[in-house]
Every structure is written in structure tokens, then in C-alpha cells.
Amino acid sequence: MKKLLYLICIACTLALYSCGSTKAYVGARQEKASLATINQGNNKLTIKNRKTKESALLIQVDSISVGNYFKGYPKHCDILPGTHTVEIRHFQQWNDNQAGAAAVGGVLGGAIGGVIAGSIAESNSPHKHYLITFDAVAGETYNIMAVTDPKTMDVDIYVTNAANEQRIKSSYKLKEEEKQ
């Protein structure tokens, strides 16, 4: 019985771990050389004498969903060459005051309690989504960055070539929240 429970736990973990998609295009798998790759950008900074971090979490590439709060966010995605619009979630660790709620809910209320607590934590977590548009070239790897100036708290969203960290031409805008 313990062995069966152990196997079920491993299977569920693998299923949840593999939910995020790294293929952000429609069609058959392509050769790696014919694709471009986008990476989640991460930044370490100090705000009010406290070390913290921020990330550009990958949500959607054009109309293809690649990640969300419940299934996770991929660290990278493969895309076809051309112009793409990528939706990111700007995660700011210093603003995520609800981070432990899902863990506490999971411990106290099991899986359902964890889902409910996680949903509440997500809805209360202050974050913004941005749309960034740029041209991708086959064989290249790009980092999508969200960087906050610790003095002014202004955010800069941009794309760099991962090989040389040079900025490439891109444009971004704050995504409008849908009215419900």
C-alpha cells in the first residue's frame, strides 16, 4: 500500500511539474536550429537595505498560453522566427506578502485548502502584466527582463540577446485588465 501511495505521489508531482509548456508555437516539433528561445529574466536588487529579486514570468506568446499561477511558469520557451508579442507577469518578491498562504493552506486544509489559499494569495498579490513585442531570429536566445529602479521604483521592460546581453529593439505596454 505504501509503495502504491509513493508511486501515485511521484506521478502527480511529475504531472504537475510538466504542465508548463516550452513549445510556444503551433505545429509539429521543429529542429532547434530553426527556432529562437526566450528566457524568463531575473534580477537581484536591494530595496530599503533588503536584498530581494524580481522576475519576468512567461505567461503567453502571441495567443499561446505557456504559464500561469496554478500550473507554473516556464523558465524558457521555443518560438518560431518573426515578430512576437509576449505577455509577462512582473513578479516582485518585495511586494509578494501572501507567498506563504498557499503553503499554510495546504498544510491546514489539504489539497483543497491549498488551492483556495493559493487562489486568495494570487488575487491579493500586487503584480502587473506587460506585453512586449520584438523580432526573433532563428538560432538566437533572448532574455525578457523586468528591472525596477530601487530609487524611483520605475520599471523598465526590455529584451536582451542572451549571448552578449545587448538590448534589442522592442516595445512594451502595460496590459489592460479585463473588466468582469
Side-chain angles (χ1 to χ4, degrees), residues 41-47 50-55 93-94 145-148 150:
N42 299 300
N43 183 42
K44 294 180 181 177
L45 66 160
T46 302
I47 295 178
R50 191 174 130 217
K51 292 186 186 287
T52 187
K53 65 180 179 176
E54 61 189 333
S55 300
Q93 184 183 40
W94 65 93
M145 302 297 297
V147 178
T148 303

Side-chain angles (χ1 to χ4, degrees), residues 69-131:
Y69 183 77
F70 291 103
K71 72 178 182 181
Y73 304 98
K75 300 285 186 201
H76 64 87
C77 289
D78 294 325
I79 58 176
L80 296 171
T83 302
H84 295 281
T85 299
V86 178
E87 180 181 343
I88 64 161
R89 173 186 173 170
H90 183 204
F91 170 75
Q92 299 170 320
Q93 184 183 40
W94 65 93
N95 275 336
D96 192 19
N97 55 8
Q98 303 291 326
V104 171
V107 169
L108 298 177
I112 294 173
V115 169
I116 293 169
S119 179
I120 292 168
E122 168 63 5
S123 64
N124 290 330
S125 176
H127 62 272
K128 294 181 180 172
H129 287 226
Y130 293 91
L131 300 171

Side-chain angles (χ1 to χ4, degrees), residues 17-48:
Y17 182 76
S18 63
C19 286
S21 175
T22 60
K23 180 183 167 198
Y25 58 91
V26 176
R29 293 250 179 232
Q30 303 281 323
E31 293 293 322
K32 189 73 174 162
S34 67
L35 298 170
T37 301
I38 54 174
N39 292 325
Q40 165 188 305
N42 299 300
N43 183 42
K44 294 180 181 177
L45 66 160
T46 302
I47 295 178
K48 296 181 183 176

